[in-house]
Amino acid sequence: MADTFSFLVEAMKNVGVSKAYGQPRQVGGEEVIPVALVSFGFGGGNDAEGGSSGGGGGGMVLPLGVYRDAGGHAVFRPNTIVMLACLVPVISVIGSAVRRSIRAARS
């Protein structure tokens, strides 16, 4: 169990802002800094009666866009496809709320 904990501690040292903001790159003659949404999780457990244990984890990275230099200040340029995909749940919830409001107003 101590080996597992020390492994997780070492893995967490690599997670942080450096994973959300990439190294500056030269693209088309201008410098851009990639930006991503980084999410991860892990868990574990054991069966007290059977003496077995287990665990697992996973992660996800969504490329949100880039920061680029525009006249001496940084400007964020979003990744349109990912932004639209992230808006689908929000639009769905808003649509459901509007529909329920209309139904309630009719009653």
Side-chain angles (χ1 to χ4, degrees), residues 68-85:
R68 66 181 187 90
D69 183 25
H73 62 280
V75 175
F76 181 72
R77 298 293 307 253
N79 179 340
T80 308
I81 295 171
V82 172
M83 290 296 181
L84 290 174

Side-chain angles (χ1 to χ4, degrees), residues 6-87:
S6 63
F7 173 75
L8 290 174
V9 169
E10 288 299 318
M12 291 300 126
K13 288 181 181 177
N14 295 329
V15 176
V17 174
S18 65
K19 297 297 178 193
Y21 295 93
Q23 295 295 320
R25 308 268 187 218
Q26 290 291 329
V27 177
E30 71 177 339
E31 186 176 61
V32 297
I33 300 171
V35 180
L37 172 66
V38 180
S39 177
F40 65 94
F42 56 90
N46 63 8
D47 179 12
E49 296 175 9
S52 61
S53 64
M60 164 187 84
V61 177
L62 287 174
L64 297 179
V66 296
Y67 278 105
R68 66 181 187 90
D69 183 25
H73 62 280
V75 175
F76 181 72
R77 298 293 307 253
N79 179 340
T80 308
I81 295 171
V82 172
M83 290 296 181
L84 290 174
C86 291
L87 286 176

